[in-house]
PDB file of all heavy atoms in Angstrom:
ATOM      1  N   MET A   5      48.316 -49.964  48.211  1.00  0.00           N
ATOM      2  CA  MET A   5      48.753 -48.896  49.136  1.00  0.00           C
ATOM      3  C   MET A   5      47.603 -47.896  49.392  1.00  0.00           C
ATOM      4  O   MET A   5      46.680 -47.746  48.519  1.00  0.00           O
ATOM      5  CB  MET A   5      49.929 -48.143  48.434  1.00  0.00           C
ATOM      6  CG  MET A   5      51.113 -49.003  48.218  1.00  0.00           C
ATOM      7  SD  MET A   5      51.936 -49.587  49.780  1.00  0.00           S
ATOM      8  CE  MET A   5      52.539 -48.019  50.351  1.00  0.00           C
ATOM      9  N   ILE A   6      47.617 -47.187  50.513  1.00  0.00           N
ATOM     10  CA  ILE A   6      46.611 -46.181  50.809  1.00  0.00           C
ATOM     11  C   ILE A   6      46.603 -45.107  49.739  1.00  0.00           C
ATOM     12  O   ILE A   6      45.511 -44.589  49.348  1.00  0.00           O
ATOM     13  CB  ILE A   6      46.833 -45.619  52.170  1.00  0.00           C
ATOM     14  CG1 ILE A   6      46.615 -46.683  53.244  1.00  0.00           C
ATOM     15  CG2 ILE A   6      45.921 -44.463  52.452  1.00  0.00           C
ATOM     16  CD1 ILE A   6      46.920 -46.262  54.638  1.00  0.00           C
ATOM     17  N   SER A   7      47.718 -44.717  49.252  1.00  0.00           N
ATOM     18  CA  SER A   7      47.805 -43.627  48.238  1.00  0.00           C
ATOM     19  C   SER A   7      47.089 -43.904  46.954  1.00  0.00           C
ATOM     20  O   SER A   7      46.738 -43.042  46.199  1.00  0.00           O
ATOM     21  CB  SER A   7      49.257 -43.271  47.973  1.00  0.00           C
ATOM     22  OG  SER A   7      49.918 -44.412  47.427  1.00  0.00           O
ATOM     23  N   GLN A   8      46.824 -45.210  46.729  1.00  0.00           N
ATOM     24  CA  GLN A   8      46.081 -45.633  45.477  1.00  0.00           C
ATOM     25  C   GLN A   8      44.619 -45.722  45.707  1.00  0.00           C
ATOM     26  O   GLN A   8      43.865 -45.896  44.736  1.00  0.00           O
ATOM     27  CB  GLN A   8      46.623 -46.991  44.992  1.00  0.00           C
ATOM     28  CG  GLN A   8      48.140 -46.986  44.593  1.00  0.00           C
ATOM     29  CD  GLN A   8      48.595 -48.323  44.254  1.00  0.00           C
ATOM     30  OE1 GLN A   8      48.541 -49.304  45.031  1.00  0.00           O
ATOM     31  NE2 GLN A   8      49.115 -48.494  43.066  1.00  0.00           N
ATOM     32  N   GLN A   9      44.157 -45.497  46.929  1.00  0.00           N
ATOM     33  CA  GLN A   9      42.696 -45.542  47.213  1.00  0.00           C
ATOM     34  C   GLN A   9      42.193 -44.087  47.142  1.00  0.00           C
ATOM     35  O   GLN A   9      42.873 -43.157  47.408  1.00  0.00           O
ATOM     36  CB  GLN A   9      42.521 -46.138  48.620  1.00  0.00           C
ATOM     37  CG  GLN A   9      43.134 -47.446  48.861  1.00  0.00           C
ATOM     38  CD  GLN A   9      42.309 -48.571  48.210  1.00  0.00           C
ATOM     39  OE1 GLN A   9      41.309 -48.379  47.645  1.00  0.00           O
ATOM     40  NE2 GLN A   9      42.909 -49.767  48.275  1.00  0.00           N
ATOM     41  N   GLN A  10      40.886 -44.004  46.871  1.00  0.00           N
ATOM     42  CA  GLN A  10      40.183 -42.750  46.908  1.00  0.00           C
ATOM     43  C   GLN A  10      39.728 -42.481  48.340  1.00  0.00           C
ATOM     44  O   GLN A  10      38.818 -43.150  48.826  1.00  0.00           O
ATOM     45  CB  GLN A  10      39.032 -42.752  45.932  1.00  0.00           C
ATOM     46  CG  GLN A  10      38.297 -41.368  45.778  1.00  0.00           C
ATOM     47  CD  GLN A  10      37.242 -41.447  44.770  1.00  0.00           C
ATOM     48  OE1 GLN A  10      36.952 -42.457  44.167  1.00  0.00           O
ATOM     49  NE2 GLN A  10      36.628 -40.242  44.600  1.00  0.00           N
ATOM     50  N   ILE A  11      40.356 -41.524  49.018  1.00  0.00           N
ATOM     51  CA  ILE A  11      40.038 -41.178  50.316  1.00  0.00           C
ATOM     52  C   ILE A  11      39.320 -39.855  50.440  1.00  0.00           C
ATOM     53  O   ILE A  11      39.717 -38.889  49.846  1.00  0.00           O
ATOM     54  CB  ILE A  11      41.317 -41.098  51.194  1.00  0.00           C
ATOM     55  CG1 ILE A  11      42.174 -42.344  50.997  1.00  0.00           C
ATOM     56  CG2 ILE A  11      40.969 -40.940  52.726  1.00  0.00           C
ATOM     57  CD1 ILE A  11      41.506 -43.681  51.390  1.00  0.00           C
ATOM     58  N   ALA A  12      38.222 -39.825  51.222  1.00  0.00           N
ATOM     59  CA  ALA A  12      37.463 -38.567  51.442  1.00  0.00           C
ATOM     60  C   ALA A  12      37.576 -38.211  52.921  1.00  0.00           C
ATOM     61  O   ALA A  12      37.219 -39.106  53.772  1.00  0.00           O
ATOM     62  CB  ALA A  12      36.052 -38.740  50.987  1.00  0.00           C
ATOM     63  N   VAL A  13      38.010 -37.061  53.202  1.00  0.00           N
ATOM     64  CA  VAL A  13      38.020 -36.539  54.536  1.00  0.00           C
ATOM     65  C   VAL A  13      36.757 -35.686  54.725  1.00  0.00           C
ATOM     66  O   VAL A  13      36.610 -34.674  54.054  1.00  0.00           O
ATOM     67  CB  VAL A  13      39.314 -35.691  54.856  1.00  0.00           C
ATOM     68  CG1 VAL A  13      39.256 -35.194  56.303  1.00  0.00           C
ATOM     69  CG2 VAL A  13      40.525 -36.578  54.669  1.00  0.00           C
ATOM     70  N   LEU A  14      35.909 -36.028  55.678  1.00  0.00           N
ATOM     71  CA  LEU A  14      34.634 -35.363  55.901  1.00  0.00           C
ATOM     72  C   LEU A  14      34.673 -34.585  57.195  1.00  0.00           C
ATOM     73  O   LEU A  14      34.830 -35.131  58.250  1.00  0.00           O
ATOM     74  CB  LEU A  14      33.467 -36.335  55.890  1.00  0.00           C
ATOM     75  CG  LEU A  14      33.427 -37.379  54.747  1.00  0.00           C
ATOM     76  CD1 LEU A  14      32.311 -38.357  54.928  1.00  0.00           C
ATOM     77  CD2 LEU A  14      33.365 -36.637  53.447  1.00  0.00           C
ATOM     78  N   ILE A  15      34.473 -33.244  57.095  1.00  0.00           N
ATOM     79  CA  ILE A  15      34.587 -32.377  58.304  1.00  0.00           C
ATOM     80  C   ILE A  15      33.248 -31.638  58.468  1.00  0.00           C
ATOM     81  O   ILE A  15      33.005 -30.674  57.728  1.00  0.00           O
ATOM     82  CB  ILE A  15      35.700 -31.431  58.157  1.00  0.00           C
ATOM     83  CG1 ILE A  15      37.001 -32.126  57.813  1.00  0.00           C
ATOM     84  CG2 ILE A  15      35.956 -30.604  59.481  1.00  0.00           C
ATOM     85  CD1 ILE A  15      38.219 -31.230  57.490  1.00  0.00           C
ATOM     86  N   PRO A  16      32.421 -32.005  59.390  1.00  0.00           N
ATOM     87  CA  PRO A  16      31.244 -31.196  59.754  1.00  0.00           C
ATOM     88  C   PRO A  16      31.604 -29.931  60.551  1.00  0.00           C
ATOM     89  O   PRO A  16      32.407 -30.040  61.430  1.00  0.00           O
ATOM     90  CB  PRO A  16      30.392 -32.136  60.526  1.00  0.00           C
ATOM     91  CG  PRO A  16      31.386 -33.075  61.199  1.00  0.00           C
ATOM     92  CD  PRO A  16      32.534 -33.244  60.269  1.00  0.00           C
ATOM     93  N   CYS A  17      31.055 -28.791  60.152  1.00  0.00           N
ATOM     94  CA  CYS A  17      31.475 -27.545  60.808  1.00  0.00           C
ATOM     95  C   CYS A  17      30.302 -26.644  61.164  1.00  0.00           C
ATOM     96  O   CYS A  17      29.331 -26.538  60.380  1.00  0.00           O
ATOM     97  CB  CYS A  17      32.404 -26.739  59.844  1.00  0.00           C
ATOM     98  SG  CYS A  17      34.084 -27.293  59.986  1.00  0.00           S
ATOM     99  N   TYR A  18      30.387 -26.017  62.279  1.00  0.00           N
ATOM    100  CA  TYR A  18      29.447 -24.977  62.657  1.00  0.00           C
ATOM    101  C   TYR A  18      30.250 -23.916  63.455  1.00  0.00           C
ATOM    102  O   TYR A  18      30.694 -24.167  64.588  1.00  0.00           O
ATOM    103  CB  TYR A  18      28.313 -25.516  63.487  1.00  0.00           C
ATOM    104  CG  TYR A  18      27.370 -24.448  64.031  1.00  0.00           C
ATOM    105  CD1 TYR A  18      26.658 -23.619  63.161  1.00  0.00           C
ATOM    106  CD2 TYR A  18      27.217 -24.279  65.416  1.00  0.00           C
ATOM    107  CE1 TYR A  18      25.817 -22.639  63.647  1.00  0.00           C
ATOM    108  CE2 TYR A  18      26.389 -23.299  65.930  1.00  0.00           C
ATOM    109  CZ  TYR A  18      25.721 -22.486  65.051  1.00  0.00           C
ATOM    110  OH  TYR A  18      24.870 -21.480  65.584  1.00  0.00           O
TER     111      TYR A  18
END
Side-chain angles (χ1 to χ4, degrees):
M5 299 293 292
I6 292 176
S7 60
Q8 297 175 303
Q9 305 285 355
Q10 185 178 0
I11 310 298
V13 179
L14 309 178
I15 309 174
C17 274
Y18 174 61

